Amino acid sequence: MTTTVERPRETRSQDPEMVEPRRRRRPILPLVYWIVTGITLVPIAFMVVYSFNDVPTGRISFHWSGFTPYWYINLGQVSGLTQAFVTSVEIALLSAVISIVLGVPLALALERYRFLLRGPLNATVYADIAAPSIVVGAASLSFFLSASVSTGFLTILLVHVAFNLAYVVVVLRARLSGVGTALEEAAGDLGAPPFVAFRTITLPLLLPGIIAGGMLSLAMSIDDYVITSFVAGPSVTFPLFVYGAAKVGLPPQVLCFGTIIFAVGLLAALVNGFITRRAPRAAVDDG
């Protein structure tokens, strides 16, 4: 004769792991989110819309006179504006590339190794971010004058690399902290040299962080005015041109160039988001 022992029914309330957390309604958070988003996007929306405004005076006006693509067709009509924009783009691209090239090994060293002067170097990176722009600009100008270096394109590039490098290092260290070293150690156990393991494993894992750091460098560089104004010399960047032209009235082409910058940045952000989402899926498929 067999005796069956009836097991008590398990309910969700008895098993804490099966208890689904209740979603707490916080109506204030979505409201704050949309307010902040609106404050950020409204000026950008005005810039995009009024870049197509048919103003007869050739100066920016927020009185809508009609739609026209004339200002985009004639971007080079304003003397000096196109050259200033090209100069800003060149400096932004060069500073972003140099910052990434220097930032990847520096982030790896600070995140994964213990060495002499690691603490002061780490503090310098964060001090570069926390320092006010006017202090960085004045200190940079004093250094170049004491070193008898003529201000111009080169000094702007050096200063932009200096502050972009700190942002790239912070972004890459955040990426490295969530990656770990298990895959690299496994590659080493299988006989892969350190450079091969870095090229085939570490670098692809760092790619979203590298793209994010590059985008941040581009954004910080192309719109910097305060630091650049100290070390620009005869060179004129886009922000410097806009500040000087604002005294007599801005041409609509300024809004066109601003819209182009925003569109390129938005496209780069979408591409980075696509790569970031695809990387974990590819890792799961490979596994």
Side-chain angles (χ1 to χ4, degrees):
M1 181 176 179
T2 58
T3 305
T4 56
V5 179
E6 185 177 351
R7 297 178 62 184
R9 294 182 180 180
E10 295 182 356
T11 60
R12 289 185 176 182
S13 59
Q14 293 175 344
D15 192 352
E17 294 182 356
M18 300 182 63
V19 176
E20 297 181 358
R22 297 180 180 179
R23 296 180 179 178
R24 299 179 181 178
R25 295 182 179 180
R26 298 184 177 91
I28 191 65
L29 294 181
L31 179 62
V32 173
Y33 168 79
W34 286 113
I35 290 176
V36 174
T37 303
I39 292 174
T40 305
L41 294 182
V42 165
I44 298 176
F46 269 86
M47 176 188 68
V48 175
V49 171
Y50 282 95
S51 66
F52 295 97
N53 190 15
D54 187 11
V55 286
T57 60
R59 292 291 181 266
I60 292 177
S61 173
F62 291 101
H63 174 73
W64 185 255
S65 302
F67 178 87
T68 179
Y70 176 82
W71 311 116
Y72 284 92
I73 299 174
N74 297 273
L75 281 174
Q77 189 179 39
V78 180
S79 177
L81 176 58
T82 303
Q83 182 57 43
F85 179 77
V86 171
T87 301
S88 288
V89 172
E90 290 176 350
I91 292 174
L93 290 175
L94 288 173
S95 64
V97 171
I98 296 173
S99 299
I100 290 172
V101 172
L102 298 177
V104 170
L106 181 57
L108 284 169
L110 291 175
E111 184 66 24
R112 293 187 174 176
Y113 299 97
R114 299 292 182 268
F115 54 91
L116 188 65
L117 299 180
R118 178 179 179 272
L121 184 59
N122 193 27
T124 303
V125 170
Y126 287 99
D128 193 10
I129 298 176
S133 298
I134 191 170
V135 174
V136 176
S140 301
L141 178 61
S142 301
F143 171 78
F144 291 133
L145 291 178
S146 62
S148 300
V149 178
S150 300
T151 55
F153 185 92
L154 179 60
T155 55
I156 298 175
L157 178 61
L158 292 175
V159 172
H160 282 215
V161 169
F163 65 73
N164 281 337
L165 180 60
Y167 289 99
V168 171
V169 169
V170 170
V171 172
L172 289 178
R173 289 190 66 182
R175 178 69 179 174
L176 284 168
S177 64
V179 169
T181 60
L183 294 177
E184 299 173 34
E185 294 174 355
D189 294 338
L190 294 174
F195 179 76
V196 174
F198 171 79
R199 180 175 56 85
T200 58
I201 296 177
T202 308
L203 196 59
L205 291 174
L206 285 179
L207 185 59
I210 291 174
I211 296 177
M215 290 171 52
L216 184 58
S217 297
L218 290 172
M220 295 295 297
S221 177
I222 206 165
D223 74 338
D224 180 76
Y225 170 78
V226 177
I227 298 177
T228 305
S229 63
F230 280 90
V231 298
S235 299
V236 179
T237 61
F238 183 68
L240 295 179
F241 182 92
V242 171
Y243 179 79
K247 300 175 182 178
V248 295
L250 291 174
Q253 284 87 343
V254 170
L255 298 182
C256 298
F257 279 115
T259 302
I260 293 172
I261 294 172
F262 172 73
V264 173
L266 181 61
L267 178 62
L270 293 176
V271 172
N272 184 43
F274 174 77
I275 294 175
T276 304
R277 290 184 178 182
R278 189 175 179 180
R281 296 178 183 177
V284 171
D285 294 338
D286 294 339

